[in-house]
Amino acid sequence: EVRLVESGGGSEQPGASLRLSCEASGFSLSSHSMNWVRQAPGKGLEWISYISASGTTIYYADSLQGRFTISRDNAKNSVYLQMNRLRAEDTAVYHCVRELLIPAGRFFDFWGQGTLVAVSS
Amino acid sequence: QSVLTQPPSVSGTPGQRVTISCSGSTSNVGTNTVNWYQHLPGAAPTLLIYAFNQRPSGVPDRFSGSRSDTSASLAISGLQSEDEADYYCASWDNDLNGYVFGTGTKVSV
């Protein structure tokens, strides 16, 4: 059974840092690109970061303005999101998402339940 | 930041057919495949349609997708109460080097 379990969320003050983790099981993490997608309260889904299967290619949403860093450790079956200089607008549920790339296209084929990050003074 | 535009809501009665539009541009929908996700309250989003019109195993054939130029559509035929959810389109954007999501559509039955 494919599982993606996020952890590390919590309540923080503006300017603080948090590190989210995503533990994968039931499949070979090293064969898949991974992404983080967030959903702020009452808002829609927002893609925020991508990391290739080997970790050599990384992309971020412009809205992050260089504050977040994605990484992975395939030996530990884990993907991470280091979040620095947190802002109130970073308050959201953060989902770890597996990507599938096939000749017909690329898409997210499995989502974790998410971990809540709340930023408030 | 949503680059793809969807109607905020659509509604229908059981058994009806409803459609959800997704308007993008040449850098995303016009060039790359469009995927649709269903987000039920309290659950993680799930893949509904990929590569414009392909259904993953387990998705009923009541759900179908299509694309024309820089717009895509999701159709739900034989609407059922369990279809009440938020629906999002998404596509890779070549200019942004990242995925873009639609604004989301709430379906009410």
Side-chain angles (χ1 to χ4, degrees):
Chain A
E1 178 192 5
V2 173
R3 291 193 71 196
L4 294 171
V5 180
E6 303 90 340
S7 61
S11 296
E12 290 292 346
Q13 292 189 335
S17 297
L18 267 180
R19 189 194 195 206
L20 305 185
S21 298
C22 169
E23 184 173 353
S25 60
F27 68 100
S28 175
L29 182 65
S30 60
S31 298
H32 289 269
S33 301
M34 299 295 292
N35 294 259
W36 287 94
V37 174
R38 69 184 179 183
Q39 184 173 32
K43 303 293 185 181
L45 300 173
E46 179 188 16
W47 171 83
I48 58 174
S49 188
Y50 159 97
I51 186 167
S52 62
S54 64
T56 54
T57 301
I58 287 173
Y59 298 120
Y60 298 101
D62 291 342
S63 62
L64 300 181
Q65 299 179 326
R67 298 180 296 117
F68 292 6
T69 302
I70 192 172
S71 62
R72 65 191 295 159
D73 186 338
N74 288 337
K76 294 184 177 180
N77 293 314
S78 293
V79 182
Y80 308 99
L81 186 68
Q82 177 67 42
M83 309 166 65
N84 297 329
R85 302 192 306 278
L86 285 166
R87 303 170 179 171
E89 54 263 38
D90 295 321
T91 295
V93 174
Y94 286 74
H95 297 276
C96 176
V97 188
R98 188 176 80 171
E99 182 183 47
L100 191 60
L101 181 62
I102 60 174
R106 60 195 304 176
F107 50 91
F108 302 143
D109 71 329
F110 196 82
W111 299 61
Q113 286 284 350
T115 185
L116 176 63
V117 173
V119 184
S120 173
S121 54
Chain B
Q1 177 184 352
S2 296
V3 177
L4 308 181
T5 302
Q6 299 178 229
S9 62
V10 298
S11 62
T13 57
Q16 262 191 332
R17 182 178 187 270
V18 297
T19 61
I20 301 170
S21 60
C22 171
S23 179
S25 66
T26 54
S27 63
N28 43 66
V29 174
T31 303
N32 300 311
T33 58
V34 175
N35 313 303
W36 291 88
Y37 302 91
Q38 181 187 58
H39 194 187
L40 294 165
T46 58
L47 178 65
L48 194 64
I49 296 285
Y50 66 96
F52 302 117
N53 58 10
Q54 302 299 301
R55 287 184 306 276
S57 174
V59 173
D61 59 6
R62 302 185 293 104
F63 295 91
S64 62
S66 63
R67 180 190 71 168
S68 178
D69 294 328
T70 58
S71 292
S73 293
L74 173 72
I76 309 174
S77 58
L79 198 62
Q80 299 182 6
S81 58
E82 55 259 42
D83 297 334
E84 283 204 336
D86 294 323
Y87 293 82
Y88 294 88
C89 59
S91 181
W92 182 265
D93 190 294
N94 294 337
D95 289 348
L96 298 176
N97 266 333
Y99 280 95
V100 288
F101 279 96
T103 46
T105 299
K106 185 175 186 62
V107 170
S108 301
V109 181

